[in-house]
Amino acid sequence: MFPILHTYFARQICQKENSLIGLGAILPDLGTLMGLERKAAHEMGQYLLPFCREHYPQQLDFALAYASHGTKPACLDYFADENWQKGPKGYCFQKAEHYKERVKEACNLPDMWAIWKGHNFVEMSFELLTLQEDSRSNRFLLRCLEDKNAIEEAITIYHAFCGVDKNAMRQAVLKSREIFCIEIVTPEHLALHYARQLYRRHEITGVQIEKAARIIEDMQKDLCADFVPFLQEAARESKKALAPYLIEKEQF
C-alpha cells in the first residue's frame, strides 16, 4: 500500500497518533533509499518490536507502526500483496486482474509488468479512499515529515537497530515528499507522480496521464465498498500477528 493508508492503518493499530507512528508507518517503503533490500525492510518488524521493547520501551509505538506496514509479522502489506482470503496473492493483485490491460496501455508497459503495476493502481485508489474516510490523513503525514525532533529520534532508534547510515535515512525521509503524492492527492496528481516514478525506476516514458487518472478514479468507485471491510479484517489479523511481540497488556 501507499503512505497515506499506511499511516492511517498504523493509527488504527496503535489507537493513538504521534509523529513517530507516522514515520514508522512509512519507513519500510524507504528501505531501498537507505541501502536495504525491499523484502528485508518489510520483514524487519519481527525484530524491531523486541528490540524496542528491550532498548526503547517508551518508543514502542514506532516499532508497532513499522511492523504494521510489513509482511513479518503478517500485517498490511502481507494482506495487500502476498495473501488475502486464500486467493492468488494479495488483495491488490487480485483486484488488479480486472484492470491490468488498461494499466498496460495507459502506462506503456510490457506484458510481464501489467499485473505488478496494476496492483500499484489499486494502492493509489486506496489513497483516495483513505482521504474519503479521513480527510486529514495526508496532513497528519505531512506534519510527521516536518517534525525534526521525531525524525532524529526515529533515526537514532533505527540506526541502533540495524546500523543504517543516519544521513542516508535522513535524506530518505526528506525525499519522501517528492517520491510520494501527499500534498495534493487527486487521480491526476497520483498518475503524474506514478509516471515520474516509472521513468525514475525503469526509464519508461509515454504514460498517458489522463487515462491513468481515469483508471484510478474508476477503481476508487469500484472498490469503495471493499475499503472498510478490507481494513477491518486486515487490522484484526494484524493485531493477532502483533500480539506475541508486545508487552503483556500494553496493547490490544
Side-chain angles (χ1 to χ4, degrees):
M1 290 295 186
F2 274 37
I4 295 173
L5 177 56
H6 273 299
T7 56
Y8 176 79
F9 188 77
R11 285 187 286 139
Q12 308 310 305
I13 293 294
C14 294
Q15 300 169 28
K16 64 180 80 167
E17 62 179 55
N18 58 54
S19 294
L20 279 177
I21 289 172
L23 294 168
I26 68 168
L27 208 54
D29 280 342
L30 300 176
T32 55
L33 295 177
M34 298 182 286
L36 302 172
E37 291 185 358
R38 181 192 179 282
K39 184 174 185 291
H42 281 70
E43 294 180 350
M44 286 165 64
Q46 63 186 322
Y47 307 116
L48 182 60
L49 276 164
F51 175 83
C52 280
R53 189 168 72 177
E54 180 176 356
H55 300 288
Y56 296 93
Q58 300 304 312
Q59 288 80 30
L60 190 62
D61 283 336
F62 170 74
L64 186 58
Y66 185 102
S68 78
H69 179 127
T71 57
K72 287 186 180 180
C75 290
L76 185 55
D77 271 3
Y78 176 79
F79 301 113
D81 295 344
E82 297 189 8
N83 190 304
W84 179 248
Q85 296 181 339
K86 300 181 180 179
K89 293 186 74 67
Y91 173 89
C92 294
F93 283 90
Q94 292 180 32
K95 297 300 179 179
E97 277 290 337
H98 181 65
Y99 298 92
K100 65 181 181 181
E101 293 303 317
R102 290 177 65 189
V103 170
K104 183 180 77 171
E105 179 186 356
C107 294
N108 191 29
L109 299 171
D111 287 346
M112 62 181 180
W113 283 3
I115 189 65
W116 177 261
K117 301 306 180 185
H119 109 276
N120 290 150
F121 274 68
V122 177
E123 294 174 320
M124 287 188 278
S125 76
F126 265 50
E127 294 288 88
L128 295 170
L129 289 167
T130 302
L131 290 170
Q132 196 171 296
E133 186 73 16
D134 178 8
S135 62
R136 67 190 184 91
S137 290
N138 63 326
R139 295 194 298 275
F140 167 74
L141 177 52
L142 288 169
R143 286 197 302 273
C144 298
L145 296 173
E146 292 166 359
D147 189 337
K148 294 181 180 179
N149 291 334
I151 291 169
E152 291 305 313
E153 192 171 359
I155 288 170
T156 297
I157 296 168
Y158 206 59
H159 172 76
F161 166 62
C162 64
V164 70
D165 182 79
K166 289 185 176 182
N167 193 53
M169 183 173 171
R170 193 174 291 113
Q171 292 303 312
V173 173
L174 289 174
K175 286 181 181 177
S176 59
R177 290 182 67 161
E178 172 190 337
I179 296 167
F180 302 123
C181 181
I182 303 172
E183 297 190 42
I184 303 173
V185 189
T186 66
E188 293 75 19
H189 279 86
L190 285 161
L192 184 59
H193 269 77
Y194 195 66
R196 291 171 180 163
Q197 187 181 108
L198 285 175
Y199 179 73
R200 187 165 51 241
R201 291 185 177 180
H202 310 296
E203 296 188 352
I204 289 175
T205 59
V207 176
Q208 300 175 66
I209 300 299
E210 289 186 9
K211 284 188 176 182
R214 178 60 63 83
I215 298 169
I216 297 168
E217 190 173 9
D218 288 347
M219 285 182 170
Q220 179 188 5
K221 295 174 183 175
D222 293 347
L223 302 178
C224 182
D226 278 5
F227 180 77
V228 170
F230 170 78
L231 286 188
Q232 287 177 340
E233 184 169 348
R236 281 195 299 270
E237 294 302 316
S238 295
K239 288 176 180 179
K240 290 178 187 177
L242 290 164
Y245 296 87
L246 299 173
I247 299 171
E248 187 177 0
K249 298 181 181 178
E250 178 77 18
Q251 299 281 349
F252 317 140

